[in-house]
């Protein structure tokens, strides 16, 4: 600090120093370490001290995690500037009560709140009441509000009149385990809305949000129902067309336990500007008929067809313990779709994917990331003709698969199938590219698989003379990982020249 003063002080105007410091400490990325540095810079010289203490901008970002004296300095030196406030507390850190006490320091300044970001994972009954009183403080200048409370075990999520219902400038509202009265003025003029809730939420009120907020650009709903509150879906969009149009809505994220919730919202709200749709369904068993989901997605069919034409293959992730995911994503595509499904057999999931692709007029071609390989998954996936590229990243057992028999990869690819009327075939019959770079497997095992998967032409001819059709799969582009030294010199040349190998990397 002593070396800085004689260099900068005589030559740099105070206004230029202020600009440099503002670039060094942006409001969006202000951390506790930054405040320590700001305090230190006040010691460089008297002009620097006067500059920093006389610029309210430096003090307008405050965290309840900071010492009380620092918070008090920020509130005093920020003067009349609008405040960016963050308050995170964790039961594991044991700071819930301390953060709640510090949060009360901000309450008298609620009229200056511009951003309030409050998250906690544990609250005592007494602390909860104090937090609710603070969150309900009138904050007319609030523009961004994030509020996350612990998930209630028995009682419903609290309904609070956040910001006293007076935040007429609010643009960004994100709620986690907390509700606002549906008649609140907070639900007008929003550009971003996110709600994560468990309980009973009237779907008609959710749809009304799009009516009250014509400028909404991002919408996210994570909803688990505690009771039957799912409106009856229309039989088709032709008989009951979307009655709400969200003209500027670009991003939609729906995570629901019951697919009928997503179907209702998507069938009621027309989203012509949507460029990103993420749909997570935790229990496909609740939808016996896939038609309502097709109806709900029909407004996106043209975009889906265009996106698939741009990216060619779509991607399917097979995870051991989380929903399987199908995505349509390409850098040049103007629309991205992510569909995560669980609680349903793979055959029903592929049926859903095939229906969507067919209805959009597209050809389904899958690039699959395989993260688990129990025998039931292998038996299901191995028959999908749409899989042309396969990444095998792990075949270890998951917690849920401890009792499942696991198949050995790549041995599985060499297993012969005999089907009546179809002759001989092998798993993944249309596979063209195989990525084993993340799998620890000896090259000798890969060589053995190729010998069994790609029969010599003489064997094929002999079987065909016996009227046994042989469905030899396409040659493979193979990618492998680290090799042992002896494999590099012995097995690798044999693999590169194998009749079933198109290329080897």
């Amino acid at each position: 600090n002593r070396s800085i003063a004689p260099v900068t002080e005589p030559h740099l105007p105070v206004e230029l120093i202020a600009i440099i410091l503002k670039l060094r400490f942006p409001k969006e990325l202000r951390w506790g370490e930054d405040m320590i540095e700001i305090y230190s810079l006040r010691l460089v010289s008297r002009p620097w001290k006067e500059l920093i203490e006389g610029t309210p901008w430096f003090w307008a970002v405050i965290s309840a995690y900071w010492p009380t004296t620092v918070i008090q300095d920020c509130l005093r030196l920020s003067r009349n500037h609008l405040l960016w406030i963050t308050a995170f507390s964790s039961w594991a850190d044991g700071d819930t009560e301390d953060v709640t006490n510090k949060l009360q320091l901000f309450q008298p300044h609620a009229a200056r709140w511009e951003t309030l970001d409050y998250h906690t994972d544990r609250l005592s009954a007494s602390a909860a009441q104090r937090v609710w009183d603070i969150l309900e403080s009138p904050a007319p200048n609030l523009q961004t509000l994030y509020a996350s409370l612990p998930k209630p075990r028995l009682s419903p999520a609290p309904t609070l009149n956040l910001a006293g219902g007076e935040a007429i400038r609010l643009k960004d509202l994100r709620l986690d385990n907390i509700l606002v009265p549906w008649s609140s003025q907070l639900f007008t003029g929003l550009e971003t809305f996110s709600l994560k809730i468990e309980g009973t939420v009237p779907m008609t009120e959710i749809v009304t949000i799009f009516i009250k907020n014509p400028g909404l650009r991002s919408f996210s709903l994570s909803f688990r129902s505690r009771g039957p509150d799912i409106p009856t879906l229309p039989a088709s969009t032709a008989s009951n067309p979307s009655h709400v149009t969200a003209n500027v809505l670009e991003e939609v994220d729906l995570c629901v336990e019951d697919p009928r919730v997503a179907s209702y919202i998507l069938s009621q709200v027309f989203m012509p500007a949507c460029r990103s749709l993420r749909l997570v369904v935790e229990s496909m068993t609740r939808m016996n008929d896939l038609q309502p989901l097709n109806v709900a997605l029909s407004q996106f069919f043209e975009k889906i067809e265009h996106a698939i034409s741009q990216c060619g293959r779509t991607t399917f992730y097979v995870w051991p313990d989380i929903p399987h995911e199908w995505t349509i994503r390409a850098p040049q595509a103007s629309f991205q779709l992510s569909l995560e499904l669980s609680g349903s057999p793979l055959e029903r999931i592929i049926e859903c994917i095939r229906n969507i692709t067919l209805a959009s007029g597209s050809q389904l071609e899958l690039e699959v990331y395989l993260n688990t390989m129990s025998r039931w998954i292998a038996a299901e996936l191995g028959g999908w003709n749409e899989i042309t590229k396969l990444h095998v990243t792990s075949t270890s057992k998951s917690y849920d698969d401890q009792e499942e028999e696991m198949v050995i990869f790549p041995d599985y690819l060499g297993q012969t199938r005999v089907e009546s009327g179809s002759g001989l075939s092998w798993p993944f019959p249309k596979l063209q590219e195989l990525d084993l770079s993340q799998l620890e497997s000896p090259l000798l095992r890969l060589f053995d698989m190729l010998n069994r998967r790609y029969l010599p032409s003489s064997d094929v001819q002999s079987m065909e003379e016996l009227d046994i059709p042989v469905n030899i799969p396409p040659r493979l582009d193979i990618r492998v990982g680290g090799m042992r030294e002896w494999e590099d010199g012995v097995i690798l040349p044999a693999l590169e020249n194998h009749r079933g190998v198109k290329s080897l990397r």
Side-chain angles (χ1 to χ4, degrees), residues 10 61-62 105 139 149 227 234 244 248 310 374 397 408 436 456 475 503:
V61 179
I62 317 175
L105 296 174
L149 298 178
V244 180
V248 299
Q310 294 292 313
S374 61
K397 291 186 178 182
I408 300 175
L436 302 176
R475 296 171 65 203
S503 68

Side-chain angles (χ1 to χ4, degrees), residues 399-432:
Y399 177 79
D400 292 336
D401 285 334
Q402 294 302 311
E403 302 301 324
E404 292 281 353
E405 181 183 359
M406 307 298 287
V407 301
I408 300 175
F409 213 90
D411 295 13
Y412 177 70
L413 286 179
Q415 295 181 7
T416 307
R417 294 181 171 186
V418 181
E419 300 179 6
S420 177
S422 301
L424 297 183
S425 64
W426 286 262
F428 304 101
K430 302 297 183 181
L431 188 65
Q432 300 173 19

Side-chain angles (χ1 to χ4, degrees), residues 318 346 368 370 372-385 387 390-392 394-395 405-419 425-431 434 436 439 441-442 444-454 473 476:
V318 182
L346 278 171
V368 174
L370 193 58
T372 184
M373 200 61 177
S374 61
R375 186 161 294 279
W376 72 270
I377 287 181
E380 185 63 46
L381 287 179
W384 292 7
N385 289 325
I387 299 177
L390 182 62
H391 303 261
V392 185
S394 173
T395 56
E405 181 183 359
M406 307 298 287
V407 301
I408 300 175
F409 213 90
D411 295 13
Y412 177 70
L413 286 179
Q415 295 181 7
T416 307
R417 294 181 171 186
V418 181
E419 300 179 6
S425 64
W426 286 262
F428 304 101
K430 302 297 183 181
L431 188 65
L434 177 62
L436 302 176
L439 183 69
S441 180
L444 190 59
R445 176 170 287 169
L446 177 60
F447 187 74
D448 178 61
M449 178 274 292
L450 292 170
N451 285 335
R452 290 184 286 118
R453 186 176 176 88
Y454 298 93
L476 290 174

Side-chain angles (χ1 to χ4, degrees), residues 318-467:
V318 182
W319 307 107
D321 301 318
I322 58 178
H324 305 312
E325 179 183 357
W326 179 53
T327 62
I328 304 172
R329 184 179 294 113
Q332 66 272 30
S334 58
F335 179 74
Q336 297 182 358
L337 172 68
S338 176
L339 187 64
E340 300 177 29
L341 307 174
S342 62
S344 182
L346 278 171
E347 60 182 353
R348 184 158 174 79
I349 293 176
I350 189 62
E351 178 188 1
C352 178
I353 295 173
R354 286 168 177 161
N355 285 348
I356 294 172
T357 308
L358 180 63
S360 67
S362 304
Q363 187 73 29
L364 181 60
E365 187 175 343
L366 291 175
E367 178 177 353
V368 174
Y369 285 79
L370 193 58
N371 291 271
T372 184
M373 200 61 177
S374 61
R375 186 161 294 279
W376 72 270
I377 287 181
E380 185 63 46
L381 287 179
W384 292 7
N385 289 325
E386 295 88 353
I387 299 177
T388 60
K389 186 172 183 178
L390 182 62
H391 303 261
V392 185
T393 59
S394 173
T395 56
S396 60
K397 291 186 178 182
S398 70
Y399 177 79
D400 292 336
D401 285 334
Q402 294 302 311
E403 302 301 324
E404 292 281 353
E405 181 183 359
M406 307 298 287
V407 301
I408 300 175
F409 213 90
D411 295 13
Y412 177 70
L413 286 179
Q415 295 181 7
T416 307
R417 294 181 171 186
V418 181
E419 300 179 6
S420 177
S422 301
L424 297 183
S425 64
W426 286 262
F428 304 101
K430 302 297 183 181
L431 188 65
Q432 300 173 19
E433 298 181 49
L434 177 62
D435 182 2
L436 302 176
S437 60
Q438 302 299 317
L439 183 69
E440 294 183 5
S441 180
L443 292 185
L444 190 59
R445 176 170 287 169
L446 177 60
F447 187 74
D448 178 61
M449 178 274 292
L450 292 170
N451 285 335
R452 290 184 286 118
R453 186 176 176 88
Y454 298 93
L455 300 180
S457 56
S458 58
D459 292 350
V460 173
Q461 183 177 354
S462 298
M463 290 186 178
E464 289 179 345
E465 290 175 354
L466 297 173
D467 293 329

Side-chain angles (χ1 to χ4, degrees), residues 22 91 296 368 457 489 498:
K22 285 185 178 182
W91 175 79
V368 174
S457 56
H498 196 280

